[in-house]
Amino acid sequence: MTPGGVNSPVRAFRGVGGEPFFVDRAEGPRIWDVDGNSYLDYVLSWGPLILGHAHPDVVEAIGLAAARGTSYGAPTPAEVELAQLIREFVPSMQRLRFVNSGTEATMSAVRLARAFTGRDLLLKFDGCYHGHGDSFLVKAGSGVATLGLPNSPGVPAELSRLTLTAPFNDLEAVEAVFRAHADRIAAVIVEPAVGNAGFILPEDGYLPGLRRITAAAGALLIFDEVMTGFRVAPGGAQGHFGVRPDLTTLGKVIGGGLPVGAYGGRSEIMDWVAPRGPVYQAGTLSGNPLAMAAGLAQLRVLRVMDPYPELERRTRRLVEGLLANAAELGVPAVGAHLGSMWGVFFAEGPVRCYATALTSDTRLFGRFFHACLQRGVFFAPSAFEAGFLSTAHQDADVDHTIDCARDALRAARG
Ligand code: HOZ
């Protein structure tokens, strides 16, 4: 019925082999398949569910909103409230626009950057993924890396030529690109901590370096925080690392599991967006009342609860446990986490960019993934995706996961 049996490629398990399970329901840290098997879930809808599945506040908010109508095509107070709440956490987003997905957010941000600067070129980093917009499918991560299609057919070569690339964590490469293309670069777009090539942290000075280089060249710096926003810290990666981008894209957590994206930044740039300015961008379901209600409910819980220190501690416990398993079994592995985002590579390391991520043992990962699944643990079905944790995961869940993963790795190693 659907290409590959799925509606988004990484769900098809092509990166690990075998057939995906089909989901019946989910609650807290667990997901159940249609055959009644349950799994501790570290995918969490690929990031949005920081409070776990079916959090009562989020479910109630969606129900109340639905009873008042599912879409109006006219503005609502909830859009203003959610925008204000986001700006409280992410002050660089002086103005913002809601869209329906992270892809929409990044496409719109790049169009805006091109209009504002009057330049055409875009610089992105190998293995970073910014959704499936044409301009981003050049050396991209996530599903395209998993399937080995980093440059997709169907994207006109003329358009791809406008997307320049450089390795992540290499400021000299960025300097070289800027030297070569001087005043033609509209923007640099980056996942400030990479979540689509596995999980890769920026090295000290890297993000400030990007800020310095872009500012000096009159190019905009776009932080794609669709994954890192409200995940790695309350203020996202920009809050954690103290680097203020010109534009930011968000998605995932701000929608509480419903389809939402947002882009925003400096007022003088956002004022170029229609109808205030000339840059066109629109959407029938943008600011959808159910999505706004879910996002508001989730962010309000986060504001009251401030779960970040606890999430960080538990995520550290998980990653340290997985690495200890690997050390005990003599399997080379490196890992990292920030807030509740994490990743482990079966590689000698260090993994600091996409090229080094590719040195990891993806066959071992595939066997490990399935051995974990058999033991009731659902990790992302690709070596090139980040993992997540939610407030619903308790220490006992994490410890059980580490035990299962040890058995799984022993079986996978052979
Ligand atoms: N692009 C998402 C992972 N980085 C996958 C989304 C999905 O397949 O649901």
Side-chain angles (χ1 to χ4, degrees):
M1 280 298 292
T2 55
V6 290
N7 285 299
S8 189
V10 287
R11 299 179 194 178
F13 281 19
R14 294 279 167 89
V16 289
E19 297 289 319
F21 61 82
F22 275 61
V23 178
D24 178 41
R25 68 191 171 90
E27 193 183 330
R30 286 197 169 268
I31 192 162
W32 280 263
D33 68 20
V34 291
D35 297 319
N37 303 305
S38 97
Y39 309 92
L40 275 168
D41 183 11
Y42 293 90
V43 180
L44 293 166
S45 186
W46 302 93
L49 306 175
I50 193 167
L51 303 178
H53 290 279
H55 187 278
D57 286 25
V58 177
V59 172
E60 186 189 11
I62 294 169
L64 290 173
R68 297 164 68 92
T70 52
S71 181
Y72 312 120
T76 62
E79 293 161 64
V80 181
E81 283 171 56
L82 184 56
Q84 283 171 340
L85 192 47
I86 289 173
R87 195 175 54 183
E88 237 179 69
F89 285 96
V90 190
S92 76
M93 298 180 85
Q94 293 172 334
R95 290 194 203 289
L96 63 101
R97 166 66 59 88
F98 288 113
V99 290
N100 298 291
S101 68
T103 293
E104 262 191 73
T106 52
M107 289 191 320
S108 308
V110 167
R111 181 183 304 146
L112 177 59
R114 284 176 164 151
F116 182 77
T117 58
R119 303 172 178 182
D120 285 342
L121 296 181
L122 173 69
L123 173 61
K124 74 174 280 291
F125 298 97
D126 303 346
C128 280
Y129 178 78
H130 305 289
H132 62 86
D134 284 352
S135 299
F136 306 120
L137 295 182
V138 181
K139 296 194 183 171
S142 188
V144 276
T146 306
L147 297 176
L149 300 169
N151 306 295
S152 174
V155 177
E158 285 79 1
L159 190 60
S160 294
R161 271 195 281 278
L162 299 179
T163 301
L164 311 171
T165 59
F168 188 73
N169 268 333
D170 184 346
L171 279 180
E172 277 179 22
V174 177
E175 303 264 20
V177 170
F178 270 85
R179 269 197 305 277
H181 300 280
D183 52 2
R184 292 186 56 216
I185 300 175
V188 170
I189 187 165
V190 64
E191 292 181 78
V194 181
N196 284 293
F199 184 61
I200 306 173
L201 286 169
E203 291 171 355
D204 281 352
Y206 181 65
L207 298 174
L210 293 183
R211 179 65 288 181
R212 176 176 45 76
I213 294 166
T214 47
L220 301 188
L221 179 60
I222 305 173
F223 273 9
D224 179 353
E225 298 231 45
V226 168
M227 282 177 125
T228 53
F230 293 90
R231 262 285 165 199
V232 300
Q238 57 194 273
H240 179 82
F241 293 107
V243 174
R244 196 177 175 100
D246 300 296
L247 292 174
T248 298
T249 57
L250 294 174
K252 301 203 189 263
V253 169
I254 63 162
L258 270 69
V260 180
Y263 67 103
R266 277 162 49 201
S267 300
E268 60 169 324
I269 305 171
M270 290 304 292
D271 283 350
W272 277 59
V273 177
R276 190 155 179 144
V279 179
Y280 199 70
Q281 180 272 307
T284 299
L285 294 174
S286 295
N288 174 267
L290 272 60
M292 297 295 104
L296 264 174
Q298 181 149 275
L299 295 198
R300 281 178 179 148
V301 172
L302 289 176
R303 185 169 56 179
V304 171
M305 196 179 174
D306 186 19
Y308 290 93
E310 193 61 16
L311 276 170
E312 199 279 335
R313 186 188 64 72
R314 257 183 209 141
T315 309
R316 176 187 300 273
R317 185 183 182 108
L318 175 66
V319 172
E320 286 179 354
L322 296 177
L323 292 178
N325 288 346
E328 186 184 319
L329 296 171
V331 175
V334 288
H337 78 284
L338 191 59
S340 55
M341 235 176 128
W342 62 274
V344 168
F345 291 100
F346 292 132
E348 297 284 352
V351 173
R352 55 187 297 267
C353 62
Y354 186 45
T356 44
L358 287 175
T359 66
S360 68
D361 188 339
T362 53
R363 282 169 186 256
L364 173 61
F365 178 82
R367 294 194 300 274
F368 171 71
F369 166 84
H370 280 290
C372 287
L373 207 57
Q374 281 164 10
R375 290 160 177 79
V377 173
F378 181 38
F379 289 139
S382 164
F384 303 119
E385 296 282 355
F388 299 94
L389 210 81
S390 81
T391 56
H393 290 75
Q394 303 302 313
D395 280 347
D397 297 319
V398 169
D399 292 345
H400 178 64
T401 299
I402 294 167
D403 288 344
C404 290
R406 186 183 310 110
D407 284 352
L409 188 56
R410 193 176 287 117
R413 186 196 54 168

